[in-house]
Amino acid sequence: MNAIVKAIADSRHLLSGNEALARGVWEAGVQVATAYPGTPSTEILENLALYPDIHAQWSVNEKVSLEVAIGACVVGARSFCAMKHVGVNVASDALMSQTLAGVNGGLVIAVADDVGLSSSQNEQDTRFWGRFAHLPILEPCDSQEAYEMAIRAYELSEKFGIPVIIRMTTRVCHVKGLVTVGERQAYEHKGFLDDPTKWVMVPTHAKELLKKQGSRDVILKAYVNECDLNRVEDGSDKRIGFVTSGPAYLHVKEAFPDAPVFKMGMSYPVPIEAIRAFGETVDKLVVVEETEPLVETELKAAGVAVHGKDILPKTGELSPLILDKPIRELYGENVDDLADPDLPVFPRPPTMCVACPHLSPYYCLSKLHKKIRIAGDIGCYTLGAGHPWKALDTTTCMGASISMALGMTLGASDEDKDKPVVAVIGDSTFLHMGMQPLLDVIYNRGNVTVMLLDNRTTGMTGGQEHAGTGFDIHGNEAPRADFEKIVVALGVNPDRVRRVNPYEMPTMFKAIKEEINQNEPSVIITDQPCVLTTRFKRQNPLKVIDGCTGCANCLSTGCPAIIVTRRETETRKSGKEVEKAYVEIETTACTGCNLCVSTCGPDVIKPVSFLEVAKNVQ
Amino acid sequence: MSNNAELTNILVCGIGGQGVMTASEVLSMAAIQLGFDVKKTEVAGMAQRGGVVTSHVRFGEKVLSPAIPKGEADILVGFEPAEAMRWAKHLKKGGVAMVNTSRIKPPVVNVGLFEYPDNPVEEMRKNGVEVYDFDAGEIARELGEMRLVNTILMGAISEHLPFDAQVLKDIIVERFRQKKPELAELNDKAFEAGRKAAAKSAQSAA
Ligand SMILES: Cc1ncc(C[n+]2csc(CCOP(=O)(O)OP(=O)(O)O)c2C)c(N)n1
């Protein structure tokens, strides 16, 4: 078991922001914790699940997850919910109403922003939800603060009777630092609060609650200007005073150790009056925030003169080095651009794994791509947009493949109208937000071929269980959603639902070709596990024996275990030049999935064991 | 810039799945044991799928920003030579690079879209970097366990750390004693093999 679970009060540990936050949530006496995975937030719930006396669960999506947490807080428990930034878009319907109702037991929502897009489809600033939903935002800068603010957030949630958002960023979630921990508090359960005027959001109730929200705003604004989470750190160099929060605070302190700093731990509502007073003590104010100019805009609107995104980058992560030049220019220093370019090296984008069960669907789709449109979704299989397959036309957000595919058939031009549209979606994504779109296809008599790539895990975020894997967050057996039954229940003709073993490439190819030519919706479900899970079983590795003709067919599978040893341009008798690429298979990496065997014209890919057996016989 | 002179900055780089995170973890453990403040960056999710992976380890009296600014790393540990070259400019003047010369070519090189550099270590030297290089993959193979590359590289840099090599070695061996006792001895050996290989590389460079 993870040592931190057993850590005693006042001991110090090297923890990531996610681990530290989880510890704080547990210590706060939380009873129910929920999440849907998403980088960089995933490890928060994975860690909470290790602790005793707390119910931790993966929910099917962020909206459901937040609603479960809300339910628990209504009946008087402290509850918790974690998600990545885009998760709030999904959960926002619940959020925007619950903010009116407020809480009974404390409710804290941790949202992790992927600043710099290490693994996301967009870069979103969660602090705007504070403004939109009239809720406080706490912003830890490191692991110790993540731990402390988790506990503090519950106090605030119950003090003001509202959910509190802890805004994390990648550089908090995924940085380890030393944390001094405490122990679990005994939380006095509040019991169900029986008050329909608070919990039943009908217009008459909501109108009253809207008024309360207004007076709550006034109270929060007064509080934030005096709150000890916001503090001034004095400095001798008064030319610039920095207003900053989150990891940006650390960058400022490192780059300009002598400058006065207004450090925001609670950044929404913006502590405007406290900052105005701080501004009186320095020549100029600079707001350093990731990523959007939220604090800056509010300050300007309140008549406080500040610099911010006029001189600093508007997107991506900040760093001491990024701050250096613009700030020194503001100091009036002459700054030479000493940028020392990196040595040029090829890019190394993420790739699908050796023997990934997604390889064969994409091999087939890439061969058919001229004749079809392919709407993609979010997961490891989004890599199908890259080399060598280039087999995705769109990817927007979770679940959008199927609905966009329907739209693409409906909106097609005259010359395109007979082009089949395929939607590619993963198992976790299908359960997250793919069922409703499929129902929409059925209801509206659409025609889409859905490729449901069931690898029995949430692969992209590191392999979490979900409602379709048969296991829960603790690895205990759980009811397993039956994809075939679900799609039939949604209305897909049972004859048009197929299960295919993706390693049987010819079958895969045939199945796709047949289904795209039907005039009704169809679903092809692959059924082999992700190679990074324990469910995957290695076979004897393969080897290229003498006789490779350099046709490079096998390279189109995209399997990274196939290595080019030699390239050549060959001139055919007809005078036509062809590129040849001779290959070998990296035997230590190969897991013997056999996918490449069916692509090899001369049939020279053989199991290593077979060769050895043959040698012994000789 | 600022207070960084008192910090030790180690940048570990490689490819998803090579053990970059484990290396930075043991380095952090060593620094904690010696009473330093430590920060270490992690990588999760997608980036690990064969992509570029780095981990920044910073320790000293008090660490603020978690990422090592370009031009301030004291030590660069390269699990792969092209990756070491990619991050070479993160080294400060006088910093050292310890490079495993076993190459891993990504699919984009494989399908011919990009060229692998002829000699990454030479490129780094041409740019004034002090490089120690050897084939850690080969040593691991000889020791019969590819996953030893990590410990071999830790042994190799152990003489360049601002503390005694033994501290790092004890932490690594102890970790294995706790988790996989059957591998403790082997890791001890791997650590020493790395140390020797680095010393040899130093001689040939001199
Ligand atoms: C609203 C939202 N929540 C979470 C994520 C993070 N995320 C991206 S893809 C994905 C699921 C991937 O699992 P699956 O669909 O099974 O495909 P796999 O990666 O296993 O191929 C998750 C959780 C996201 N992008 N958007």
Side-chain angles (χ1 to χ4, degrees), chain A residues 36-39 62 84 86-90 119-121 358 377-382 397-398 425-430 432 453 455-461 464 466 530, chain B residues 49:
Chain A
Y36 179 75
T39 312
E62 291 86 354
K84 72 180 292 176
V86 282
V88 192
N89 306 339
V90 179
S119 185
S120 301
Q121 70 268 37
H358 299 340
D377 222 298
I378 305 207
C380 285
Y381 51 90
T382 314
C397 62
M398 288 188 73
I425 187 165
D427 47 345
S428 187
T429 303
F430 182 75
H432 176 283
L453 307 187
N455 59 0
R456 285 191 70 192
T457 193
T458 318
M460 183 161 172
T461 45
Q464 290 71 35
H466 59 67
C530 168
Chain B
R49 312 267 178 278

mmCIF file of all heavy atoms in Angstrom, chain A residues 36-39 62 84 86-90 119-121 358 377-382 397-398 425-430 432 453 455-461 464 466 530, chain B residues 49, ligand 1:
data_model
loop_
_atom_site.group_PDB
_atom_site.id
_atom_site.type_symbol
_atom_site.label_atom_id
_atom_site.label_comp_id
_atom_site.label_asym_id
_atom_site.label_seq_id
_atom_site.Cartn_x
_atom_site.Cartn_y
_atom_site.Cartn_z
ATOM 1 N N TYR A 36 -14.474 11.446 -12.871
ATOM 2 C CA TYR A 36 -14.209 10.770 -14.124
ATOM 3 C C TYR A 36 -12.773 11.143 -14.462
ATOM 4 O O TYR A 36 -12.381 12.296 -14.261
ATOM 5 C CB TYR A 36 -15.181 11.228 -15.227
ATOM 6 C CG TYR A 36 -14.882 10.544 -16.530
ATOM 7 C CD1 TYR A 36 -15.239 9.208 -16.727
ATOM 8 C CD2 TYR A 36 -14.185 11.195 -17.547
ATOM 9 C CE1 TYR A 36 -14.914 8.553 -17.905
ATOM 10 C CE2 TYR A 36 -13.865 10.545 -18.733
ATOM 11 C CZ TYR A 36 -14.231 9.222 -18.907
ATOM 12 O OH TYR A 36 -13.893 8.573 -20.069
ATOM 13 N N PRO A 37 -11.937 10.191 -14.913
ATOM 14 C CA PRO A 37 -10.524 10.502 -15.122
ATOM 15 C C PRO A 37 -10.282 11.592 -16.172
ATOM 16 O O PRO A 37 -11.117 11.788 -17.056
ATOM 17 C CB PRO A 37 -9.913 9.180 -15.607
ATOM 18 C CG PRO A 37 -10.974 8.152 -15.574
ATOM 19 C CD PRO A 37 -12.274 8.801 -15.240
ATOM 20 N N GLY A 38 -9.172 12.244 -16.083
ATOM 21 C CA GLY A 38 -8.794 13.250 -17.070
ATOM 22 C C GLY A 38 -7.480 13.884 -16.652
ATOM 23 O O GLY A 38 -7.365 14.368 -15.525
ATOM 24 N N THR A 39 -6.488 13.877 -17.536
ATOM 25 C CA THR A 39 -5.181 14.460 -17.245
ATOM 26 C C THR A 39 -5.327 15.970 -17.105
ATOM 27 O O THR A 39 -5.991 16.570 -17.948
ATOM 28 C CB THR A 39 -4.200 14.152 -18.394
ATOM 29 O OG1 THR A 39 -4.310 12.758 -18.675
ATOM 30 C CG2 THR A 39 -2.782 14.535 -18.045
ATOM 31 N N GLU A 62 -18.402 13.484 -15.924
ATOM 32 C CA GLU A 62 -18.227 14.510 -14.904
ATOM 33 C C GLU A 62 -19.539 15.034 -14.361
ATOM 34 O O GLU A 62 -19.636 15.408 -13.193
ATOM 35 C CB GLU A 62 -17.396 15.675 -15.452
ATOM 36 C CG GLU A 62 -15.940 15.332 -15.716
ATOM 37 C CD GLU A 62 -15.704 14.717 -17.088
ATOM 38 O OE1 GLU A 62 -16.689 14.433 -17.819
ATOM 39 O OE2 GLU A 62 -14.524 14.526 -17.459
ATOM 40 N N LYS A 84 -10.903 17.179 -14.887
ATOM 41 C CA LYS A 84 -10.007 18.077 -15.618
ATOM 42 C C LYS A 84 -10.821 19.267 -16.116
ATOM 43 O O LYS A 84 -12.052 19.252 -16.051
ATOM 44 C CB LYS A 84 -9.308 17.346 -16.759
ATOM 45 C CG LYS A 84 -10.179 17.004 -17.954
ATOM 46 C CD LYS A 84 -9.375 16.280 -19.020
ATOM 47 C CE LYS A 84 -8.338 17.201 -19.666
ATOM 48 N NZ LYS A 84 -7.493 16.488 -20.636
ATOM 49 N N VAL A 86 -11.869 20.473 -18.958
ATOM 50 C CA VAL A 86 -13.007 20.301 -19.871
ATOM 51 C C VAL A 86 -14.147 19.536 -19.219
ATOM 52 O O VAL A 86 -15.286 19.578 -19.696
ATOM 53 C CB VAL A 86 -12.595 19.635 -21.203
ATOM 54 C CG1 VAL A 86 -11.921 20.643 -22.112
ATOM 55 C CG2 VAL A 86 -11.715 18.425 -20.975
ATOM 56 N N GLY A 87 -13.851 18.850 -18.134
ATOM 57 C CA GLY A 87 -14.903 18.147 -17.409
ATOM 58 C C GLY A 87 -15.981 19.095 -16.901
ATOM 59 O O GLY A 87 -17.154 18.735 -16.806
ATOM 60 N N VAL A 88 -15.575 20.318 -16.552
ATOM 61 C CA VAL A 88 -16.556 21.273 -16.025
ATOM 62 C C VAL A 88 -17.585 21.635 -17.100
ATOM 63 O O VAL A 88 -18.741 21.912 -16.782
ATOM 64 C CB VAL A 88 -15.881 22.558 -15.495
ATOM 65 C CG1 VAL A 88 -16.879 23.378 -14.695
ATOM 66 C CG2 VAL A 88 -14.676 22.227 -14.643
ATOM 67 N N ASN A 89 -17.161 21.609 -18.361
ATOM 68 C CA ASN A 89 -18.137 21.895 -19.421
ATOM 69 C C ASN A 89 -19.267 20.886 -19.362
ATOM 70 O O ASN A 89 -20.434 21.213 -19.561
ATOM 71 C CB ASN A 89 -17.473 21.833 -20.803
ATOM 72 C CG ASN A 89 -16.259 22.736 -20.894
ATOM 73 O OD1 ASN A 89 -16.134 23.663 -20.113
ATOM 74 N ND2 ASN A 89 -15.363 22.449 -21.827
ATOM 75 N N VAL A 90 -18.890 19.630 -19.102
ATOM 76 C CA VAL A 90 -19.875 18.555 -19.043
ATOM 77 C C VAL A 90 -20.713 18.696 -17.766
ATOM 78 O O VAL A 90 -21.917 18.506 -17.782
ATOM 79 C CB VAL A 90 -19.162 17.184 -19.091
ATOM 80 C CG1 VAL A 90 -20.167 16.048 -18.995
ATOM 81 C CG2 VAL A 90 -18.321 17.062 -20.358
ATOM 82 N N SER A 119 -1.901 17.253 -22.603
ATOM 83 C CA SER A 119 -2.714 16.104 -22.998
ATOM 84 C C SER A 119 -4.191 16.493 -23.070
ATOM 85 O O SER A 119 -5.021 15.879 -22.435
ATOM 86 C CB SER A 119 -2.507 14.985 -21.976
ATOM 87 O OG SER A 119 -3.168 13.814 -22.373
ATOM 88 N N SER A 120 -4.497 17.518 -23.831
ATOM 89 C CA SER A 120 -5.886 17.993 -23.890
ATOM 90 C C SER A 120 -6.192 18.580 -25.248
ATOM 91 O O SER A 120 -5.293 18.937 -25.999
ATOM 92 C CB SER A 120 -6.137 19.078 -22.838
ATOM 93 O OG SER A 120 -5.869 18.583 -21.555
ATOM 94 N N GLN A 121 -7.503 18.744 -25.484
ATOM 95 C CA GLN A 121 -7.906 19.297 -26.780
ATOM 96 C C GLN A 121 -8.009 20.808 -26.770
ATOM 97 O O GLN A 121 -8.170 21.423 -27.812
ATOM 98 C CB GLN A 121 -9.221 18.666 -27.236
ATOM 99 C CG GLN A 121 -10.468 19.051 -26.444
ATOM 100 C CD GLN A 121 -10.777 18.090 -25.294
ATOM 101 O OE1 GLN A 121 -9.889 17.581 -24.638
ATOM 102 N NE2 GLN A 121 -12.049 17.856 -25.055
ATOM 103 N N HIS A 358 -5.809 -0.953 -31.243
ATOM 104 C CA HIS A 358 -6.333 0.085 -32.145
ATOM 105 C C HIS A 358 -5.598 0.099 -33.492
ATOM 106 O O HIS A 358 -6.024 0.782 -34.421
ATOM 107 C CB HIS A 358 -6.194 1.481 -31.535
ATOM 108 C CG HIS A 358 -6.937 1.686 -30.253
ATOM 109 N ND1 HIS A 358 -7.989 0.906 -29.846
ATOM 110 C CD2 HIS A 358 -6.777 2.623 -29.273
ATOM 111 C CE1 HIS A 358 -8.445 1.345 -28.673
ATOM 112 N NE2 HIS A 358 -7.717 2.379 -28.295
ATOM 113 N N ASP A 377 -12.904 10.669 -32.044
ATOM 114 C CA ASP A 377 -13.287 11.058 -30.687
ATOM 115 C C ASP A 377 -12.023 11.190 -29.853
ATOM 116 O O ASP A 377 -10.915 11.251 -30.393
ATOM 117 C CB ASP A 377 -14.265 10.016 -30.129
ATOM 118 C CG ASP A 377 -15.392 10.688 -29.383
ATOM 119 O OD1 ASP A 377 -15.084 11.353 -28.385
ATOM 120 O OD2 ASP A 377 -16.548 10.566 -29.812
ATOM 121 N N ILE A 378 -12.179 11.209 -28.531
ATOM 122 C CA ILE A 378 -11.012 11.485 -27.699
ATOM 123 C C ILE A 378 -10.581 10.254 -26.924
ATOM 124 O O ILE A 378 -11.370 9.607 -26.255
ATOM 125 C CB ILE A 378 -11.302 12.656 -26.744
ATOM 126 C CG1 ILE A 378 -11.766 13.835 -27.603
ATOM 127 C CG2 ILE A 378 -10.061 13.013 -25.956
ATOM 128 C CD1 ILE A 378 -11.507 15.170 -27.030
ATOM 129 N N GLY A 379 -9.294 9.931 -27.049
ATOM 130 C CA GLY A 379 -8.727 8.758 -26.390
ATOM 131 C C GLY A 379 -7.426 8.418 -27.082
ATOM 132 O O GLY A 379 -6.974 9.180 -27.946
ATOM 133 N N CYS A 380 -6.817 7.308 -26.722
ATOM 134 C CA CYS A 380 -5.577 6.909 -27.401
ATOM 135 C C CYS A 380 -5.789 6.832 -28.909
ATOM 136 O O CYS A 380 -4.900 7.109 -29.699
ATOM 137 C CB CYS A 380 -5.111 5.547 -26.896
ATOM 138 S SG CYS A 380 -4.368 5.608 -25.268
ATOM 139 N N TYR A 381 -6.997 6.420 -29.278
ATOM 140 C CA TYR A 381 -7.289 6.234 -30.712
ATOM 141 C C TYR A 381 -7.325 7.552 -31.484
ATOM 142 O O TYR A 381 -7.441 7.536 -32.699
ATOM 143 C CB TYR A 381 -8.601 5.458 -30.875
ATOM 144 C CG TYR A 381 -9.726 6.045 -30.076
ATOM 145 C CD1 TYR A 381 -10.555 7.016 -30.614
ATOM 146 C CD2 TYR A 381 -9.908 5.688 -28.745
ATOM 147 C CE1 TYR A 381 -11.553 7.590 -29.857
ATOM 148 C CE2 TYR A 381 -10.902 6.263 -27.976
ATOM 149 C CZ TYR A 381 -11.714 7.207 -28.532
ATOM 150 O OH TYR A 381 -12.693 7.800 -27.776
ATOM 151 N N THR A 382 -7.238 8.696 -30.794
ATOM 152 C CA THR A 382 -7.107 9.970 -31.522
ATOM 153 C C THR A 382 -5.765 10.000 -32.253
ATOM 154 O O THR A 382 -5.579 10.742 -33.217
ATOM 155 C CB THR A 382 -7.226 11.172 -30.565
ATOM 156 O OG1 THR A 382 -8.337 10.955 -29.704
ATOM 157 C CG2 THR A 382 -7.434 12.466 -31.314
ATOM 158 N N CYS A 397 -14.703 16.784 -29.036
ATOM 159 C CA CYS A 397 -14.779 16.572 -27.592
ATOM 160 C C CYS A 397 -15.358 15.191 -27.364
ATOM 161 O O CYS A 397 -15.766 14.531 -28.320
ATOM 162 C CB CYS A 397 -15.651 17.636 -26.933
ATOM 163 S SG CYS A 397 -17.348 17.586 -27.525
ATOM 164 N N MET A 398 -15.411 14.768 -26.110
ATOM 165 C CA MET A 398 -15.826 13.393 -25.839
ATOM 166 C C MET A 398 -17.254 13.125 -26.291
ATOM 167 O O MET A 398 -18.179 13.840 -25.915
ATOM 168 C CB MET A 398 -15.655 13.065 -24.360
ATOM 169 C CG MET A 398 -14.183 12.927 -24.009
ATOM 170 S SD MET A 398 -13.912 12.331 -22.349
ATOM 171 C CE MET A 398 -14.379 10.631 -22.528
ATOM 172 N N ILE A 425 -14.912 5.526 -31.713
ATOM 173 C CA ILE A 425 -15.065 5.937 -30.310
ATOM 174 C C ILE A 425 -14.580 4.823 -29.378
ATOM 175 O O ILE A 425 -14.733 3.638 -29.693
ATOM 176 C CB ILE A 425 -16.549 6.318 -30.037
ATOM 177 C CG1 ILE A 425 -16.732 6.928 -28.639
ATOM 178 C CG2 ILE A 425 -17.479 5.112 -30.234
ATOM 179 C CD1 ILE A 425 -18.079 7.632 -28.470
ATOM 180 N N GLY A 426 -13.987 5.198 -28.255
ATOM 181 C CA GLY A 426 -13.491 4.203 -27.299
ATOM 182 C C GLY A 426 -14.562 3.769 -26.310
ATOM 183 O O GLY A 426 -15.636 4.383 -26.222
ATOM 184 N N ASP A 427 -14.270 2.735 -25.567
ATOM 185 C CA ASP A 427 -15.262 2.189 -24.629
ATOM 186 C C ASP A 427 -15.605 3.175 -23.513
ATOM 187 O O ASP A 427 -16.771 3.423 -23.202
ATOM 188 C CB ASP A 427 -14.815 0.843 -24.048
ATOM 189 C CG ASP A 427 -13.374 0.838 -23.555
ATOM 190 O OD1 ASP A 427 -12.616 1.765 -23.915
ATOM 191 O OD2 ASP A 427 -12.996 -0.089 -22.817
ATOM 192 N N SER A 428 -14.580 3.773 -22.914
ATOM 193 C CA SER A 428 -14.827 4.711 -21.829
ATOM 194 C C SER A 428 -15.576 5.933 -22.355
ATOM 195 O O SER A 428 -16.504 6.439 -21.719
ATOM 196 C CB SER A 428 -13.504 5.132 -21.196
ATOM 197 O OG SER A 428 -13.723 5.902 -20.047
ATOM 198 N N THR A 429 -15.190 6.396 -23.525
ATOM 199 C CA THR A 429 -15.822 7.573 -24.118
ATOM 200 C C THR A 429 -17.264 7.279 -24.511
ATOM 201 O O THR A 429 -18.148 8.121 -24.355
ATOM 202 C CB THR A 429 -14.999 8.046 -25.334
ATOM 203 O OG1 THR A 429 -13.671 8.299 -24.894
ATOM 204 C CG2 THR A 429 -15.571 9.297 -25.950
ATOM 205 N N PHE A 430 -17.514 6.068 -25.004
ATOM 206 C CA PHE A 430 -18.885 5.694 -25.372
ATOM 207 C C PHE A 430 -19.805 5.766 -24.155
ATOM 208 O O PHE A 430 -20.920 6.277 -24.225
ATOM 209 C CB PHE A 430 -18.905 4.287 -25.969
ATOM 210 C CG PHE A 430 -20.279 3.857 -26.409
ATOM 211 C CD1 PHE A 430 -20.848 4.370 -27.570
ATOM 212 C CD2 PHE A 430 -21.008 2.945 -25.656
ATOM 213 C CE1 PHE A 430 -22.132 3.989 -27.959
ATOM 214 C CE2 PHE A 430 -22.287 2.556 -26.042
ATOM 215 C CZ PHE A 430 -22.855 3.079 -27.203
ATOM 216 N N HIS A 432 -19.204 7.479 -21.448
ATOM 217 C CA HIS A 432 -19.188 8.866 -20.956
ATOM 218 C C HIS A 432 -20.236 9.704 -21.672
ATOM 219 O O HIS A 432 -21.021 10.412 -21.034
ATOM 220 C CB HIS A 432 -17.780 9.437 -21.178
ATOM 221 C CG HIS A 432 -17.586 10.878 -20.817
ATOM 222 N ND1 HIS A 432 -18.014 11.916 -21.611
ATOM 223 C CD2 HIS A 432 -16.975 11.476 -19.755
ATOM 224 C CE1 HIS A 432 -17.683 13.078 -21.044
ATOM 225 N NE2 HIS A 432 -17.061 12.830 -19.926
ATOM 226 N N LEU A 453 -14.212 0.938 -30.122
ATOM 227 C CA LEU A 453 -12.941 0.266 -29.829
ATOM 228 C C LEU A 453 -12.867 -0.043 -28.337
ATOM 229 O O LEU A 453 -12.451 0.784 -27.538
ATOM 230 C CB LEU A 453 -11.761 1.136 -30.274
ATOM 231 C CG LEU A 453 -11.810 1.615 -31.732
ATOM 232 C CD1 LEU A 453 -10.513 2.328 -32.095
ATOM 233 C CD2 LEU A 453 -12.067 0.463 -32.698
ATOM 234 N N ASN A 455 -11.198 -1.549 -25.518
ATOM 235 C CA ASN A 455 -9.947 -2.148 -25.017
ATOM 236 C C ASN A 455 -10.024 -2.381 -23.511
ATOM 237 O O ASN A 455 -9.026 -2.548 -22.838
ATOM 238 C CB ASN A 455 -8.736 -1.279 -25.389
ATOM 239 C CG ASN A 455 -8.848 0.120 -24.827
ATOM 240 O OD1 ASN A 455 -9.826 0.456 -24.164
ATOM 241 N ND2 ASN A 455 -7.841 0.941 -25.067
ATOM 242 N N ARG A 456 -11.231 -2.305 -22.984
ATOM 243 C CA ARG A 456 -11.511 -2.615 -21.572
ATOM 244 C C ARG A 456 -10.710 -1.777 -20.591
ATOM 245 O O ARG A 456 -10.279 -2.258 -19.554
ATOM 246 C CB ARG A 456 -11.301 -4.107 -21.293
ATOM 247 C CG ARG A 456 -12.434 -4.919 -21.863
ATOM 248 C CD ARG A 456 -12.395 -6.350 -21.382
ATOM 249 N NE ARG A 456 -12.721 -6.476 -19.982
ATOM 250 C CZ ARG A 456 -12.516 -7.614 -19.290
ATOM 251 N NH1 ARG A 456 -11.967 -8.648 -19.880
ATOM 252 N NH2 ARG A 456 -12.871 -7.675 -18.038
ATOM 253 N N THR A 457 -10.511 -0.521 -20.925
ATOM 254 C CA THR A 457 -9.877 0.401 -19.977
ATOM 255 C C THR A 457 -10.017 1.829 -20.490
ATOM 256 O O THR A 457 -10.382 2.046 -21.651
ATOM 257 C CB THR A 457 -8.389 0.067 -19.779
ATOM 258 O OG1 THR A 457 -7.890 0.765 -18.642
ATOM 259 C CG2 THR A 457 -7.556 0.473 -20.999
ATOM 260 N N THR A 458 -9.733 2.780 -19.622
ATOM 261 C CA THR A 458 -9.624 4.172 -20.042
ATOM 262 C C THR A 458 -8.139 4.376 -20.332
ATOM 263 O O THR A 458 -7.366 4.746 -19.457
ATOM 264 C CB THR A 458 -10.098 5.110 -18.904
ATOM 265 O OG1 THR A 458 -11.275 4.544 -18.322
ATOM 266 C CG2 THR A 458 -10.391 6.494 -19.412
ATOM 267 N N GLY A 459 -7.743 4.075 -21.557
ATOM 268 C CA GLY A 459 -6.314 3.965 -21.879
ATOM 269 C C GLY A 459 -5.555 5.274 -21.773
ATOM 270 O O GLY A 459 -4.516 5.375 -21.128
ATOM 271 N N MET A 460 -6.100 6.297 -22.375
ATOM 272 C CA MET A 460 -5.355 7.546 -22.538
ATOM 273 C C MET A 460 -4.928 8.171 -21.216
ATOM 274 O O MET A 460 -3.894 8.820 -21.127
ATOM 275 C CB MET A 460 -6.205 8.540 -23.308
ATOM 276 C CG MET A 460 -5.496 9.825 -23.579
ATOM 277 S SD MET A 460 -6.333 10.645 -24.896
ATOM 278 C CE MET A 460 -5.479 12.193 -24.876
ATOM 279 N N THR A 461 -5.741 7.999 -20.194
ATOM 280 C CA THR A 461 -5.434 8.622 -18.914
ATOM 281 C C THR A 461 -4.665 7.677 -17.991
ATOM 282 O O THR A 461 -4.510 7.953 -16.796
ATOM 283 C CB THR A 461 -6.729 9.094 -18.231
ATOM 284 O OG1 THR A 461 -7.697 8.047 -18.353
ATOM 285 C CG2 THR A 461 -7.257 10.339 -18.875
ATOM 286 N N GLN A 464 -7.721 3.506 -16.334
ATOM 287 C CA GLN A 464 -8.668 3.419 -15.223
ATOM 288 C C GLN A 464 -9.818 2.470 -15.584
ATOM 289 O O GLN A 464 -10.199 2.349 -16.734
ATOM 290 C CB GLN A 464 -9.235 4.807 -14.871
ATOM 291 C CG GLN A 464 -8.230 5.738 -14.228
ATOM 292 C CD GLN A 464 -7.182 6.219 -15.207
ATOM 293 O OE1 GLN A 464 -7.464 6.424 -16.382
ATOM 294 N NE2 GLN A 464 -5.946 6.396 -14.752
ATOM 295 N N HIS A 466 -13.762 1.352 -15.694
ATOM 296 C CA HIS A 466 -15.003 2.102 -15.924
ATOM 297 C C HIS A 466 -16.155 1.115 -15.969
ATOM 298 O O HIS A 466 -15.934 -0.098 -15.807
ATOM 299 C CB HIS A 466 -14.908 2.958 -17.198
ATOM 300 C CG HIS A 466 -14.642 2.175 -18.454
ATOM 301 N ND1 HIS A 466 -15.551 1.292 -18.991
ATOM 302 C CD2 HIS A 466 -13.569 2.129 -19.265
ATOM 303 C CE1 HIS A 466 -15.047 0.763 -20.090
ATOM 304 N NE2 HIS A 466 -13.836 1.239 -20.273
ATOM 305 N N CYS A 530 -6.330 -3.467 -23.888
ATOM 306 C CA CYS A 530 -5.185 -2.556 -23.971
ATOM 307 C C CYS A 530 -3.918 -3.303 -23.545
ATOM 308 O O CYS A 530 -3.923 -4.030 -22.546
ATOM 309 C CB CYS A 530 -5.452 -1.376 -23.031
ATOM 310 S SG CYS A 530 -4.036 -0.319 -22.733
ATOM 311 N N ARG B 49 3.172 7.678 -24.060
ATOM 312 C CA ARG B 49 3.078 6.726 -25.166
ATOM 313 C C ARG B 49 4.184 6.946 -26.189
ATOM 314 O O ARG B 49 3.932 7.473 -27.250
ATOM 315 C CB ARG B 49 1.735 6.856 -25.879
ATOM 316 C CG ARG B 49 0.563 6.882 -24.981
ATOM 317 C CD ARG B 49 -0.020 5.490 -24.771
ATOM 318 N NE ARG B 49 -1.122 5.596 -23.843
ATOM 319 C CZ ARG B 49 -0.984 5.635 -22.521
ATOM 320 N NH1 ARG B 49 0.212 5.588 -21.970
ATOM 321 N NH2 ARG B 49 -2.021 5.719 -21.737
HETATM 322 C C1 LIG C 1 -14.829 15.915 -20.707
HETATM 323 C C2 LIG C 1 -13.558 15.172 -20.703
HETATM 324 N N1 LIG C 1 -13.261 14.376 -19.672
HETATM 325 C C3 LIG C 1 -12.088 13.675 -19.654
HETATM 326 C C4 LIG C 1 -11.210 13.781 -20.676
HETATM 327 C C5 LIG C 1 -9.902 13.029 -20.616
HETATM 328 N N2 LIG C 1 -9.987 11.876 -21.499
HETATM 329 C C6 LIG C 1 -9.623 11.967 -22.765
HETATM 330 S S1 LIG C 1 -9.967 10.592 -23.602
HETATM 331 C C7 LIG C 1 -10.541 9.803 -22.283
HETATM 332 C C8 LIG C 1 -11.071 8.402 -22.340
HETATM 333 C C9 LIG C 1 -10.239 7.462 -23.099
HETATM 334 O O1 LIG C 1 -10.721 6.168 -22.926
HETATM 335 P P1 LIG C 1 -11.365 5.329 -24.087
HETATM 336 O O2 LIG C 1 -12.465 6.067 -24.745
HETATM 337 O O3 LIG C 1 -11.717 4.003 -23.518
HETATM 338 O O4 LIG C 1 -10.199 5.181 -25.157
HETATM 339 P P2 LIG C 1 -8.687 4.626 -25.006
HETATM 340 O O5 LIG C 1 -7.834 5.764 -24.616
HETATM 341 O O6 LIG C 1 -8.728 3.521 -24.004
HETATM 342 O O7 LIG C 1 -8.348 4.146 -26.355
HETATM 343 C C10 LIG C 1 -10.471 10.639 -21.205
HETATM 344 C C11 LIG C 1 -10.876 10.238 -19.871
HETATM 345 C C12 LIG C 1 -11.552 14.645 -21.742
HETATM 346 N N3 LIG C 1 -10.751 14.837 -22.786
HETATM 347 N N4 LIG C 1 -12.720 15.301 -21.727
#
